[in-house]
Amino acid sequence: MVEGRVVRVGDRRLGSRRLAALLVGAVGERPGYRALAHGVRTLVLDGRVPLHTRLPAERELASALAVSRATVTAAYDVLREGGFAHSRRGAGTWTELPEGQRPAAVAAFPVGDDVLDLAVAAPGAPERELAAALGAAAAMLPEHAPTAGYHPYGIPQLRAAVADRFTRRGLPTLPDQILITTGAQHALSLTLSLLGGPGDRVLVENPSYPNALDAIRNAGLRPVPVPVTEDGWDSGLVESSLRQAAPRMAYLVPDFQNPTGNLMPPEQRVRVLETARATGAWLLIDETVADIALDGPPPAPFASLAPHGVGEQVVTVGSLSKTHWGGLRIGWVRAGTRLITELAMARVPGDMATPVIEQLVALHLLREMDQVLGERLPMLRERRDALATSLARHVPQWRWRTPPGGLSLWVDLGRPIASALARAASARGVRIEGGSRFGADPGTHEHRLRIPYTLAPAALELAAQRLAATLAGDLRAPADEARGRRWVA
């Protein structure tokens, strides 16, 4: 049996080391039995541990977590009492759900027109431009229809267009240095799986993008957190972590960092690049929101500052999800040509290639990128200011720093109530995630909320009213607190 994998239908088994790694990420080192039970329950409801899966034997999990067997036995008892596990004599302990509950990781989308979704920091599609792009794609389709339609690297025209945009932004790029992917998340996961292996360390920002943190953990990699505060990055701490922890790679969002909105200064970028050269670490740079510059010009690509010989260590990922539409699953990787070839080979067993029709739509949108941004950036600037005004009116005790770009405010609530507030807000028609969802360490950022400003000003005003009403109510966790919404973008 492969550790932690389903081996055949009807006999799903979760390896002790795999579950231990997931639990450490959820509840920390050496948990007590209640925390251990809560961690397993959360992983089941979050979809990271499948239903009807046999949990590790008590002795095995105790050894993997370095706790007593009695702790695991008591945790399993709590899970059984709560309906999250059942045992069969001679067959072990299996995950299940109490009647009426279901995993919330992917299924918990807003239901009804009255729900305000603040868990997704992404704008709606530019309807006019999207319609024009669909027409242009239809006109180009006969050129591609006679072919088999598989392009593991991406269609040549789109690769060239992405390369040209990098070049115009200040980083000379060849089409051979571009791989088209099915969104930036695909680009990130593909790169992590190729460059890293189970147990390798990855330097990450704390807080950071939750789906990236999940991808790192799911790949069996070990996050090495460095803090990002309202004042930005601590260059000395980043450099010392790169040297002392010796991570295989570093995942950074230097442009309007998600969720803080910080913009890394050029001098800090150069220092990170120089340290990476000295340590040999790969730099995985997420530029998904780099074009959402609201108070100044957009930054040049991170890799454009790389000293001679360091550029090959920088892998840049991006997409059209934040500038255009998340429903258009088009992303890319920019790297050295050899790595691009290896990534293309590695992707084939998973998804073969990105759909041609979507690539043709993206090609037209990318060519009209400046026009789209010329309309979107003023709109987002207006919405950012509208959200700030609404929050100041309804919850004046909250604090935040206005970001120079990006898509959300990172709000300080003044006390560690974020998760309870998010749970209670769902009953008032607001879907939002507490700051701990963005933490690289368990339980951190409980005093923070990420509040996107991608909705219309009237909706943001209503959301602020509902959050204020929630804050004034009872924030105690309901009986089904583990059903909290977990899907974030």
Side-chain angles (χ1 to χ4, degrees), residues 198-350:
D200 284 346
R201 297 182 179 90
V202 179
L203 185 143
V204 298
E205 299 154 333
N206 189 22
S208 188
Y209 181 50
N211 294 329
L213 295 174
D214 287 345
I216 288 168
R217 297 187 184 106
N218 288 344
L221 305 169
R222 291 186 291 169
V224 177
V226 294
V228 179
T229 68
E230 287 188 341
D231 296 323
W233 294 258
D234 184 326
S235 296
L237 187 56
V238 173
E239 292 171 31
S240 64
S241 296
L242 283 171
R243 294 180 185 278
Q244 296 172 15
R248 173 70 173 163
M249 68 189 91
Y251 168 73
L252 302 173
V253 188
D255 304 312
F256 316 121
Q257 199 261 356
N258 189 356
T260 67
N262 286 322
L263 180 64
M264 184 181 287
E267 59 272 18
Q268 283 193 323
R269 300 178 185 227
V270 171
R271 291 180 63 178
V272 171
L273 285 160
E274 291 175 343
T275 307
R277 174 173 58 181
T279 60
W282 289 92
L283 296 178
L284 181 50
I285 306 299
D286 189 336
E287 289 190 349
T288 307
V289 293
D291 285 304
I292 312 297
L294 303 181
D295 293 333
F302 190 95
S304 67
L305 299 176
H308 180 70
V310 184
E312 292 291 312
Q313 291 175 230
V314 182
V315 181
T316 304
V317 301
S319 80
L320 294 180
S321 295
K322 305 301 186 182
T323 55
H324 290 73
W325 189 38
L328 186 65
R329 304 306 301 149
I330 293 292
W332 52 80
V333 180
R334 193 262 182 204
T337 55
R338 179 176 177 180
L339 182 59
I340 290 296
T341 298
E342 294 175 353
L343 288 168
M345 295 173 62
R347 80 172 301 177
V348 171

Side-chain angles (χ1 to χ4, degrees), residues 33-302:
Y33 78 94
R34 291 191 181 277
L36 179 56
H38 177 75
V40 174
R41 181 180 64 177
T42 299
L43 291 171
V44 170
L45 286 163
D46 200 22
R48 286 184 281 170
V49 170
L51 295 178
H52 315 303
T53 297
R54 187 160 68 180
L55 294 170
E58 295 169 0
R59 188 185 304 277
E60 293 176 1
L61 185 58
S63 175
L65 287 170
V67 298
S68 70
R69 182 177 179 180
T71 297
V72 178
T73 300
Y76 281 10
D77 286 342
V78 170
L79 290 170
R80 284 188 287 266
E81 291 169 4
F84 287 89
H86 72 278
S87 297
R88 297 197 297 244
R89 184 178 299 275
T93 301
W94 298 70
T95 59
E96 64 178 8
L97 284 178
E99 184 176 353
Q101 292 205 22
R102 64 180 183 177
V106 175
F109 290 93
V111 178
D113 295 335
D114 194 42
V115 177
L116 300 172
D117 191 359
L118 296 180
V120 177
E127 296 181 11
R128 184 180 68 254
E129 290 82 359
L130 182 59
L134 285 166
M140 298 177 65
L141 194 56
E143 174 187 343
H144 296 268
T147 71
Y150 296 109
H151 297 274
Y153 289 91
I155 62 173
Q157 299 98 315
L158 185 55
R159 297 178 74 197
V162 173
D164 179 65
R165 182 156 186 84
F166 272 109
T167 299
R168 287 187 287 114
R169 291 177 56 216
L171 178 60
T173 302
L174 299 172
D176 286 350
Q177 293 177 276
I178 300 297
L179 176 75
I180 303 301
T181 61
T182 311
Q185 187 69 22
H186 175 219
L188 173 65
S189 298
L190 185 64
T191 304
L192 289 170
S193 65
L194 181 67
L195 296 183
D200 284 346
R201 297 182 179 90
V202 179
L203 185 143
V204 298
E205 299 154 333
N206 189 22
S208 188
Y209 181 50
N211 294 329
L213 295 174
D214 287 345
I216 288 168
R217 297 187 184 106
N218 288 344
L221 305 169
R222 291 186 291 169
V224 177
V226 294
V228 179
T229 68
E230 287 188 341
D231 296 323
W233 294 258
D234 184 326
S235 296
L237 187 56
V238 173
E239 292 171 31
S240 64
S241 296
L242 283 171
R243 294 180 185 278
Q244 296 172 15
R248 173 70 173 163
M249 68 189 91
Y251 168 73
L252 302 173
V253 188
D255 304 312
F256 316 121
Q257 199 261 356
N258 189 356
T260 67
N262 286 322
L263 180 64
M264 184 181 287
E267 59 272 18
Q268 283 193 323
R269 300 178 185 227
V270 171
R271 291 180 63 178
V272 171
L273 285 160
E274 291 175 343
T275 307
R277 174 173 58 181
T279 60
W282 289 92
L283 296 178
L284 181 50
I285 306 299
D286 189 336
E287 289 190 349
T288 307
V289 293
D291 285 304
I292 312 297
L294 303 181
D295 293 333
F302 190 95

